[in-house]
Amino acid sequence: MRIATLTSGGDCPGLNAVIRAVVRTAAGHGATVVGYEDGWQGLVEDRRVQLYDDEDIDRILTRGGTVLGTGRMPVDEFTGAVDRVKANLSDAGIDALVVIGGEGTLKGGRFLHMHGVPVVGVPKTIDNDVNATDYTFGFDSAVAVATDAIDRLHTTAESHDRVMIVEVMGRHVGWIALHAGMAGGAHDILIPEHPFDIEDVCTRMARRFQMGEKYGIIVVAEGAVPAEGTLEMAEREVDQYGHEKFGNIGALIAHEIQNRLDADVRSTVLGHVQRGGTPTAFDRVLATRYGVHATKAALRGEFGTVVALRGEAVSLVSFDDAVGSLKVVPDHRWESALSLLG
Ligand code: F6P
């Protein structure tokens, strides 16, 4: 059997661990693996490399990023290239395609599967927003980076009697903000699922000061939005793939708190630092398990499936289950975090 794999969408720690697991598992079953470069683009342009179960592959377990490269492709360009993709796969003698990516990539996988391509999906994203899986790999590593940053901001905030705003990634969901905020003992957390009222944010911070505290840490997800009619926000720009550009909500909140409370406020945007570097042990294990299970599913001919963590076990779900809607922070998780704030 000949398996192809690719990584697509924003990179995250753990992609190489999946690639390694795919190659090693395939080799153990007498199958070979090729990798397409730069995500869908490489598949459309037939840019591929043979991957061998050798020392080089063995060593990528701990490396961040993806040795295959990644990228995004406009949806129209991708769907318009389906015949070319099928021809490329057939010319290369590919029997199965393992696609590793987030919501957009898995939608692409579903599209190819519907057009007769034998596909298995592996969910990744630091945002942890893919449905039908408890966790995507990359999330734990991002939370570790954000938590470390919050720990460091505590000491400088306390020394200067400042309010520190920490803006973390999370376009549509607040998983990173919630987990890093809880792990880092943040005094306020703002997430896209619950539009915030800046007056309430200021009241909570003012209450801290009245109790004798002199500093505060607020973690805000990049996709957090003010409740309607509470605060003017500039319209977001859109990139060439139709994705909104984020990255200024922290500064806006800092400006408001500074003016309304006359406090000394600073804002830090963690940005792509959260996506770089070596994966945590949890992500290495999860990514490896996903790679092993996806390859075994491909070897068994179980196509149109996505590997997913359900409790302790890795299971197979359908593409429809994985990409139907995003996995948002549920109310019970939000409520338990709320009781610790202030
Ligand atoms: O989807 C993952 C993610 O890291 C988001 O959290 C973030 O908004 C986005 O990618 C950033 O994308 P880009 O690398 O295109 O700036």
Side-chain angles (χ1 to χ4, degrees):
M1 188 176 204
R2 196 158 156 79
I3 298 174
T5 189
L6 60 82
T7 53
S8 172
D11 76 326
C12 77
L15 288 168
N16 285 326
V18 181
I19 296 168
R20 171 181 176 268
V22 170
V23 174
R24 299 199 71 163
T25 307
H29 290 79
T32 57
V33 179
V34 294
Y36 283 100
E37 296 173 327
D38 304 331
W40 297 126
Q41 202 79 42
L43 178 56
V44 171
E45 293 167 3
D46 199 23
R47 286 189 281 113
R48 62 190 137 89
V49 286
Q50 187 69 43
L51 300 172
Y52 299 100
D53 182 20
D54 57 13
E55 271 184 22
D56 286 345
I57 277 290
D58 198 26
R59 289 199 186 113
I60 65 174
L61 170 66
T62 59
R63 253 170 81 179
T66 161
V67 292
L68 289 176
T70 186
R72 295 195 170 103
M73 203 173 178
V75 176
D76 292 353
E77 220 176 282
F78 173 69
T79 52
V82 63
D83 290 338
R84 209 157 137 208
V85 163
K86 287 170 81 169
N88 288 347
L89 290 169
S90 148
D91 290 350
I94 304 299
D95 306 295
L97 177 64
V98 175
V99 299
I100 312 165
E103 167 87 359
T105 305
L106 297 177
K107 277 185 178 156
R110 176 175 65 173
F111 174 81
L112 290 184
H113 173 68
M114 280 159 49
H115 283 78
V117 177
V119 189
V120 177
V122 177
K124 70 89 218 184
T125 170
I126 64 165
D127 290 0
N128 198 37
D129 60 1
V130 175
N131 234 332
T133 184
D134 292 351
Y135 288 101
T136 48
F137 65 87
F139 170 64
D140 188 64
S141 303
V143 169
V145 171
T147 303
D148 179 60
I150 295 166
D151 289 350
R152 290 167 191 277
L153 288 168
H154 267 284
T155 62
T156 174
E158 191 170 13
S159 306
H160 285 266
D161 297 346
R162 277 178 173 156
V163 177
M164 291 286 189
I165 317 290
V166 195
E167 182 177 316
V168 298
M169 280 187 169
R171 306 170 72 82
H172 307 294
V173 301
W175 285 106
I176 298 178
L178 180 79
H179 277 225
M182 287 180 83
H187 307 117
D188 213 340
I189 301 174
L190 309 175
I191 63 175
E193 291 88 335
H194 295 273
F196 64 90
D197 184 336
I198 191 68
E199 275 298 326
D200 295 342
V201 175
C202 288
T203 304
R204 283 193 288 270
M205 200 46 69
R207 203 176 301 138
R208 261 184 76 71
F209 296 152
Q210 281 155 16
M211 304 279 287
E213 301 291 350
K214 292 195 162 76
Y215 82 103
I217 303 280
I218 301 177
V219 178
V220 54
E222 62 183 350
V225 284
E228 219 179 308
T230 56
L231 195 59
E232 276 297 305
M233 222 177 101
E235 216 168 284
R236 292 192 182 112
E237 287 175 43
V238 172
D239 70 12
Q240 69 263 48
Y241 309 108
H243 288 166
E244 278 183 307
K245 286 190 192 168
F246 291 80
N248 54 19
I249 188 71
L252 178 67
I253 293 166
H255 177 77
E256 290 298 321
I257 296 178
Q258 177 123 17
N259 286 346
R260 294 173 192 230
L261 294 187
D262 194 24
D264 192 9
V265 190
R266 296 289 188 276
S267 168
T268 303
V269 181
L270 293 188
H272 293 81
V273 166
Q274 295 159 95
R275 275 193 356 208
T278 189
T280 57
F282 179 90
D283 278 341
R284 292 178 200 182
V285 174
L286 182 60
T288 300
R289 292 176 73 199
Y290 279 174
V292 170
H293 280 261
T295 309
K296 287 190 173 171
L299 290 164
R300 288 194 301 264
E302 293 182 79
F303 299 118
T305 54
V306 176
V307 292
L309 185 69
R310 299 285 186 91
E312 277 301 303
V314 175
S315 349
L316 291 177
V317 300
S318 71
F319 272 109
D320 282 341
D321 286 339
V323 300
S325 53
L326 291 179
K327 186 182 67 182
V328 297
V329 171
D331 286 346
H332 70 96
R333 288 296 315 275
W334 179 236
E335 275 150 26
S336 63
L338 279 186
S339 55
L340 298 164
L341 301 181

